[in-house]
Amino acid sequence: MVTASRYYPQLMSLVGNVLRFLPAFVRMKQLIAEHYVGAVMICDARIYSGSLLSPNYGWICDELMGGGGLHTMGTYIVDLLTHLTGRRAEKVHGLLKTFVRQNAAIRGIRHVTSDDFCFFQMLMGGGVCSTVTLNFNMPGAFVHEVMVVGSAGRLVARGADLYGQKNSATQEELLLRDSLAVGAGLPEQGLQDVPLLYLKGMVYMVQALRQSFQGQGDRRTWDHTPVSMAASFEDGLYMQSVVDAIKRSSRSGEWEAVEVLTEEPDTNQNLCEALQRNNL
């Protein structure tokens, strides 16, 4: 897919990381570039939520099918931290756990293999250290917090709102409050399945896509500017490479280097190795 996107640059090939389009993170990236926090030192991200499992057994229950918190939300955070800081992960150390293997709807011969708890650290370029906690065993309100700490202060996005505090200040200040309402016209089931933060991000991304196609004389062309902040297929490959390294680290208990593929892998070999790990 990466090769095809390079071969056909006229085609729009974007990865749908909607967090990049949220005004809180757009503003956070601008402030980091303006040295609001000084030299970036530490990133910390936390996502707390209820179970990701659906009422019926499906792909979300199976690690090999891309289920679990690391795949579904961890990839967004990996990409977001790199997008905000301009630093890529070089080494990672992680732990994946499946606490709920069966429930009232998933039982008998079927069991869950995807992670519902994940904790990982990333050593990034320039000496930046990142810590990410994903916990999908917590009832109550959805918690989504991303913090960037630097030599001169900190920025923290709580949900869709942005707060900041300089080292010289006595308390944090509200830098941006997102007042976008997205509930009108959406089915109730959709609101239940997707956190409000991600729904807002989807709205902003679709608005950018609309602007990209508006005003074009030829319907086959599009303007790159409105979607310039979107993740590319190269970014998607990087995200997957970090996730693979985190999974390797969880099995080995050691720090693992992030190795971005430069050649297409043997899919049959990958599947055989994955099945062997799953059986073990």
Side-chain angles (χ1 to χ4, degrees):
M1 291 172 67
V2 171
T3 303
S5 68
R6 292 170 179 165
Y7 191 75
Y8 298 103
Q10 286 292 95
L11 293 178
M12 179 181 284
S13 51
L14 308 176
V15 177
N17 187 349
V18 298
L19 295 179
R20 287 190 178 209
F21 289 85
L22 279 169
F25 293 119
V26 174
R27 183 61 180 147
M28 181 184 279
K29 183 174 174 62
Q30 292 173 348
L31 289 171
I32 291 173
E34 295 168 5
H35 305 290
Y36 180 96
V37 300
V40 175
M41 301 184 300
I42 301 165
C43 300
D44 184 81
R46 300 182 300 135
I47 298 180
Y48 299 155
S49 173
S51 176
L52 294 174
L53 302 178
S54 56
N56 300 313
Y57 186 88
W59 68 269
I60 196 70
C61 305
D62 194 321
E63 176 201 0
L64 297 180
M65 296 177 69
L70 177 60
H71 277 288
T72 55
M73 289 193 178
T75 50
Y76 284 161
I77 299 300
V78 169
D79 175 68
L80 180 66
L81 295 180
T82 293
H83 176 64
L84 292 173
T85 64
R87 310 288 187 178
R88 283 196 165 195
E90 297 175 351
K91 287 186 175 182
V92 298
H93 189 282
L95 171 70
L96 283 76
K97 289 282 288 184
T98 305
F99 285 100
V100 179
R101 295 188 176 275
Q102 290 187 321
N103 56 26
I106 303 169
R107 53 187 177 179
I109 62 172
R110 285 181 167 168
H111 60 277
V112 178
T113 60
S114 57
D115 61 282
D116 53 24
F117 175 81
C118 178
F119 171 83
F120 62 91
Q121 299 165 296
M122 299 188 295
L123 293 179
M124 309 176 79
V128 176
C129 298
S130 297
T131 300
V132 180
T133 304
L134 310 171
N135 184 357
F136 300 98
N137 296 284
M138 197 173 101
F142 178 75
V143 175
H144 193 286
E145 184 175 295
V146 177
M147 181 185 300
V148 177
V149 181
S151 58
R154 65 177 174 88
L155 291 165
V156 54
R158 297 190 185 101
D161 302 328
L162 179 64
Y163 300 83
Q165 183 173 352
K166 294 273 194 178
N167 289 348
S168 57
T170 57
Q171 61 183 11
E172 69 179 16
E173 57 180 330
L174 176 64
L175 299 174
L176 186 146
R177 184 177 297 281
D178 192 321
S179 58
L180 177 68
V182 298
L186 292 174
E188 184 178 349
Q189 185 63 34
L191 290 173
Q192 291 176 353
D193 291 344
V194 182
L196 181 61
L197 179 75
Y198 288 80
L199 284 174
K200 286 186 175 183
M202 182 65 71
V203 170
Y204 286 116
M205 184 172 184
V206 171
Q207 288 176 349
L209 288 169
R210 179 185 179 187
Q211 294 173 11
S212 180
F213 286 107
Q214 275 184 332
Q216 300 297 313
D218 187 344
R219 295 180 63 183
R220 295 171 296 179
T221 62
W222 51 287
D223 182 8
H224 291 68
T225 304
V227 291
S228 60
M229 70 182 75
S232 66
F233 278 18
E234 284 86 354
D235 294 325
L237 181 60
Y238 159 73
M239 285 184 258
Q240 189 59 47
S241 299
V242 175
V243 166
D244 289 343
I246 294 169
K247 293 167 74 174
R248 290 199 309 271
S249 173
S250 182
R251 293 192 298 269
S252 69
E254 305 287 343
W255 284 90
E256 296 285 346
V258 176
E259 301 172 353
V260 180
L261 293 176
T262 56
E263 296 180 0
E264 189 169 349
D266 184 345
T267 54
N268 291 328
Q269 180 65 27
N270 285 350
L271 180 59
C272 290
E273 291 177 357
L275 289 172
Q276 287 173 359
R277 290 196 305 266
N278 199 42
N279 290 334
L280 290 174

